[in-house]
Amino acid sequence: MRAFTKITSLVMPLDRANVDTDAIIPKQFLKSIRRAGFGPYLFDEWRYLDRGEPEMDCTNRPLNKDFVLNQSQYQNAEILLTRENFGCGSSREHAPWALEDYGFRAIIAPSFADIFYNNCFKNGLLPIVLNAEVVDSLFKKVTDGYQLTVDLATQKITTPDAMSIDFVIDADRKHRLLNGLDDIALTLQQADKIKEYETKRAKQAPWLFTA
Amino acid sequence: MAGQTLYDKLWQDHVVSTHEDGSALIYIDRQLVHEVTSPQAFDGLRLAGRKLWRQARNLAVADHNVPTIDRDKGIADPIAKLQVETLDKNCAEFGITEFDMGDVRQGIVHVIGPEQGATLPGMTVVCGDSHTSTHGASAALAFGIGTSEVEHAMATQCLVQKKSKNMLIKVNGHVGKGITAKDIVLAIIGKIGTAGGTGYAIEFAGEAIAALSMEGRMTVCNMAIEAGARTGLIAVDDITIDYYRNRPFSPKAEHWDMAVKAWSNLHSDADALFDKVVELDATAIKPQVTWGTSPELVVAVDECVPNPVDESDSVKRDSMIRALEYMGLQAGQAITDIKIDKVFIGSCTNSRIEDLRAAAEVAKGKSKAENVKQVLIVPGSGLVKLQAEQEGLDKIFIEAGFEWRDPGCSMCLAMNADRLEAGERCASTSNRNFEGRQGYGGRTHLVSPAMAAAAAIAGHFVDVTRISGGN
Ligand code: SF4
């Protein structure tokens, strides 16, 4: 997994609440058995005027010019600013895969759906929860060329006028993300504890260990 | 010290180790696997040269992409076909039991788990699917995970998790005649909102919940995720234990007796403390119909489409305006005046035998309305289908002009050929009414199976509790 330390980037404002994972990456793209290549289909139904199909070449598709992803001033933004309950709906990890593949590294919102929030950390994406008023004030400021700096180590966002906003994140998640650590390898370091648990549990609930 | 909640007990039983920041390594008793969220997990294992920690704790089935008609001809869409074949191949390579497309036990992952006794009370259950909350109906700690976690659970039989907060939703009193589990859960979501349960494990309790069959309880827990909670739970009682007696994967002989004894402790202690308690009056719940593009945009069938002008919160108001536009509805329009084009009865919310019986009771001796183009009845599993046919339900449906299909997710998410065309309006027993969920540009209204069948016959929404045949 790609580590996340510090970025300075343009901010793309997506002014909608309850953006669900079907909107982030529509289901027809879930037929892919690959993990990469979802970026061109990110927000497919909002972004293009035609219907997207898996493996379609997107270079000549008609664009919805009103949608923020297609507006020139936000190109190459690595920070997405959005509203409450972002990523609700299905557990599809294709949603963070698509956001990451497109080029986003951090998402700022007043709240995230639990599964989506969790999935972000497995993919080098940093979801940042800020209170709704702060998010609102950022929405008001985001215009051409507005950049934020996100520093995971210090848990700070710095605005162009040198204001600094703190954010909260679990120590464990932070550590993994800062170092780009493989979760499975870390858990397997505790193999003895897992086996110990199994031995104890098999006595209490043997029916769980019959096959 | 206060007693423990059901969630606390289940959590405690599965802690392998705790980490400094309060997260814990949790042992997973059962993983259900399907074709959409697993291929990248198997690839990850192969790349790292890892094996499954305990093969036998994984059970696989293809459900999202499978056709519900002419199954013997195979899958026409080459990309979907490759995904299903990839699951078959991966299961063979890694030694996982799979119910393939030709197996009578095949069906929607959340229907077959309980049906087979593969998901049991007291277990931790995961699946790369958000509706894994369904299995909490039997007091299993069940939650949806992403593909990285699918791979993690396969390789280690564990997951690193943070404990959720405890929420109790008490539905007091009894529902009226014709009011179902679906109406209860939609009313709950209408009350607490789609993010109301975020960060919580929700336990559903109260007389109205205790009175539900296991099927009904699964419907309620299924939609816990639509209220934002990864986990929905219902305490074990005699209904739970009777349901699991003699299921293929249920414990046998002395293990059964041991299990029943252990399961009888799977309830919240009387003095347990919850972080949040929400109460609803069951007697006030009417048949529910969603009108927008989020399950919280729901009203009773005898109400009208709400007016965004009445909403004070500007973010909510904007989403209401957008929803009205997408749904092609006018504020103030009576729900019963909304005409529909298609009906879908199925999905892991409402495709069990009880759901089909409720729909058949309404449809018996009647025919679908002229303006209704298609009514799909998609049983949740091959065994549900068989049972329904033994009861003659298929004939009732076919005589009413409905289509009797093979099991799968079907038009719940329209990954296979079953879908809405742009602008079409559907009465659906599934769980999500998001934009494009049932097909690009399609419009979904979530309802109970009886309400869906009644709408199929009338051609528009009707209050099923006011027509003859509604139970
Ligand atoms: S029936 Fe629908 S909600 Fe349930 S698992 Fe299938 S696609 Fe998901």
Side-chain angles (χ1 to χ4, degrees):
Chain A
M1 187 184 78
R2 183 151 64 138
F4 186 108
T5 48
K6 185 174 177 177
I7 59 166
T8 297
S9 152
L10 287 172
V11 181
M12 186 185 293
L14 178 63
D15 197 356
R16 296 189 184 202
N18 296 314
V19 171
D20 59 73
T21 52
D22 282 76
I24 299 172
I25 183 87
K27 72 244 156 191
Q28 62 269 32
F29 302 105
L30 275 54
K31 290 179 192 169
S32 168
I33 57 171
R34 296 186 306 133
R35 196 174 188 130
F38 293 103
Y41 311 110
L42 175 69
F43 297 120
D44 199 85
E45 289 184 7
W46 292 343
R47 180 173 170 188
Y48 302 104
L49 297 171
D50 62 346
R51 189 189 142 80
E53 288 299 340
E55 294 177 19
M56 197 171 190
D57 176 5
C58 294
T59 43
N60 291 318
R61 291 176 63 193
L63 297 177
N64 172 7
K65 295 267 167 22
D66 295 335
F67 187 56
V68 64
L69 221 73
N70 295 322
Q71 293 168 357
S72 58
Q73 68 269 41
Y74 301 119
Q75 296 309 306
N76 303 319
E78 292 182 334
I79 300 172
L80 183 68
L81 177 69
T82 184
R83 299 283 185 182
E84 66 195 36
N85 202 25
F86 187 80
C88 61
S90 96
S91 65
R92 65 189 66 162
E93 200 158 316
H94 310 67
W97 293 341
L99 287 158
E100 201 263 354
D101 195 59
Y102 177 82
F104 287 118
R105 306 294 320 278
I107 308 169
I108 300 173
S111 61
F112 292 89
D114 284 343
I115 302 178
F116 175 83
Y117 184 80
N118 206 30
N119 282 341
C120 284
F121 289 97
K122 318 281 179 197
N123 295 285
L125 260 180
L126 174 63
I128 300 172
V129 179
L130 296 180
N131 79 40
E133 290 85 69
V134 178
V135 169
D136 213 41
S137 71
L138 289 175
F139 265 106
K140 292 201 180 98
K141 286 187 212 154
V142 176
T143 45
D144 286 10
Y146 188 81
Q147 293 206 342
L148 290 174
T149 298
V150 176
D151 186 348
L152 178 56
T154 59
Q155 298 178 216
K156 274 189 198 313
I157 298 173
T158 318
T159 66
D161 46 3
M163 205 178 82
S164 123
I165 307 166
D166 293 334
F167 61 90
V168 180
I169 178 171
D170 286 350
D172 194 49
R173 282 181 166 139
K174 176 175 166 180
H175 175 69
R176 287 168 193 235
L177 198 52
L178 273 175
N179 299 291
L181 294 175
D182 171 355
D183 286 1
I184 296 179
L186 282 175
T187 298
L188 286 173
Q189 288 174 1
Q190 302 192 54
D192 288 347
K193 281 196 181 149
I194 302 173
K195 286 184 191 141
E196 209 177 287
Y197 171 88
E198 286 178 326
T199 314
K200 180 191 79 182
R201 184 78 176 148
K203 291 199 186 100
Q204 298 166 344
W207 61 91
L208 297 174
F209 291 83
T210 46
Chain B
M1 202 180 102
Q4 288 184 299
T5 65
L6 171 56
Y7 175 68
D8 295 338
K9 292 181 186 180
L10 291 167
W11 176 270
Q12 191 186 319
D13 277 349
H14 291 91
V15 173
V16 173
S17 68
T18 46
H19 301 164
E20 264 172 38
D21 68 341
S23 63
L25 191 64
I26 292 296
Y27 195 79
I28 303 304
D29 294 315
R30 170 68 72 193
Q31 173 151 239
L32 300 169
V33 179
H34 67 84
E35 78 274 27
V36 179
T37 53
S38 67
Q40 298 87 353
F42 285 113
D43 267 353
L45 292 175
R46 257 190 301 266
L47 268 173
R50 289 181 176 128
K51 288 200 183 60
L52 300 195
W53 186 275
R54 279 177 76 199
Q55 293 162 323
R57 303 320 290 173
N58 296 275
L59 177 66
V61 71
D63 54 2
H64 285 64
N65 271 318
V66 300
T68 58
I69 196 167
D70 295 333
R71 203 165 265 192
D72 45 337
K73 294 192 189 126
I75 305 176
D77 172 354
I79 306 173
K81 184 163 185 268
L82 177 65
Q83 196 172 58
V84 172
E85 286 171 357
T86 303
L87 179 68
D88 297 345
K89 262 204 270 170
N90 282 329
C91 288
E93 181 185 333
F94 285 89
I96 294 178
T97 304
E98 186 201 3
F99 299 161
D100 66 26
M101 233 169 67
D103 195 312
V104 69
R105 298 168 298 178
Q106 181 270 340
I108 305 171
V109 67
H110 307 308
V111 174
I112 67 153
E115 182 175 83
Q116 292 293 321
T119 57
L120 294 167
M123 275 184 172
T124 38
V125 177
V126 296
C127 175
D129 191 284
S130 60
H131 292 99
T132 309
S133 60
T134 312
H135 308 268
S138 63
L141 174 50
F143 51 92
I145 56 178
T147 300
S148 296
E149 287 183 314
V150 170
E151 184 182 338
H152 193 284
M154 283 175 173
T156 69
Q157 207 59 43
C158 291
L159 286 175
V160 177
Q161 295 292 303
K162 256 202 107 173
K163 197 165 178 235
S164 304
K165 288 180 284 182
N166 280 289
M167 184 189 294
L168 176 68
I169 296 186
K170 262 186 95 183
V171 189
N172 300 316
H174 289 280
V175 292
K177 207 162 164 280
I179 305 298
T180 66
K182 183 65 163 286
D183 301 303
I184 296 177
V185 72
L186 283 171
I188 291 171
I189 297 166
K191 182 171 169 121
I192 71 169
T194 46
T198 304
Y200 292 93
I202 299 182
E203 180 175 345
F204 299 96
E207 287 102 344
I209 301 293
L212 293 173
S213 65
M214 280 308 289
E215 284 83 354
R217 294 175 188 189
M218 289 178 214
T219 302
V220 172
C221 289
N222 176 274
M223 291 193 72
I225 185 68
E226 294 342 306
R230 291 176 80 178
T231 299
L233 287 167
I234 294 176
V236 167
D237 62 9
D238 291 346
I239 294 176
T240 323
I241 289 169
D242 284 343
Y243 178 89
Y244 282 103
R245 209 182 295 278
N246 300 322
R247 302 259 160 199
F249 288 79
S250 285
K252 307 273 171 338
E254 71 270 20
H255 281 173
W256 171 258
D257 299 330
M258 266 183 97
V260 168
K261 205 165 148 224
W263 295 346
S264 64
N265 186 39
L266 296 176
H267 55 79
S268 290
D269 295 333
D271 57 345
L273 289 180
F274 287 84
D275 300 289
K276 191 168 182 184
V277 179
V278 176
E279 302 206 38
L280 266 84
D281 174 10
T283 60
I285 300 175
K286 294 182 184 166
Q288 304 283 305
V289 182
T290 66
W291 59 268
T293 50
S294 159
E296 70 185 19
L297 302 178
V298 63
V299 291
V301 64
D302 59 359
E303 292 180 62
C304 295
V305 175
N307 196 331
V309 175
D310 303 329
E311 174 59 59
S312 53
D313 179 328
S314 68
V315 175
K316 281 202 182 129
R317 190 164 55 233
D318 288 350
S319 44
M320 285 174 77
I321 294 169
R322 191 173 297 123
L324 283 181
E325 195 182 316
Y326 181 85
M327 293 296 289
L329 295 172
Q330 302 296 325
Q333 197 175 352
I335 294 291
T336 47
D337 285 345
I338 301 173
K339 284 209 169 83
I340 53 164
D341 304 302
K342 284 186 177 167
V343 175
F344 171 62
I345 298 179
S347 89
C348 55
T349 317
N350 283 126
S351 64
R352 286 167 283 266
I353 190 68
E354 182 182 287
D355 302 314
L356 302 186
R357 284 181 193 140
E361 196 171 329
V362 174
K364 193 166 189 171
K366 307 207 174 83
S367 309
K368 76 169 179 66
E370 283 285 311
N371 62 304
V372 176
K373 293 181 227 169
Q374 185 181 46
V375 183
L376 283 185
I377 313 281
V378 186
S381 73
L383 293 172
V384 169
K385 184 173 190 224
L386 214 62
Q387 166 89 31
E389 287 172 354
Q390 276 160 9
E391 296 179 17
L393 306 184
D394 56 325
K395 294 205 182 60
I396 296 176
F397 293 133
I398 292 164
E399 273 161 26
F402 300 0
E403 295 175 36
W404 180 241
R405 296 292 187 95
D406 286 325
C409 294
S410 178
M411 209 158 71
C412 171
L413 94 164
M415 267 185 89
N416 70 357
D418 310 335
R419 64 182 58 161
L420 299 180
E421 299 304 325
E424 280 182 342
R425 187 180 300 287
C426 181
S428 176
T429 66
S430 54
N431 43 43
R432 289 196 173 133
N433 49 359
F434 300 157
E435 287 183 21
R437 171 78 178 182
Q438 293 194 288
Y440 183 77
R443 294 161 170 164
T444 303
H445 295 269
L446 304 176
V447 288
S448 74
M451 282 288 288
I457 295 201
H460 56 87
F461 292 109
V462 286
D463 184 345
V464 74
T465 63
R466 285 165 187 269
I467 58 169
S468 62
N471 59 343

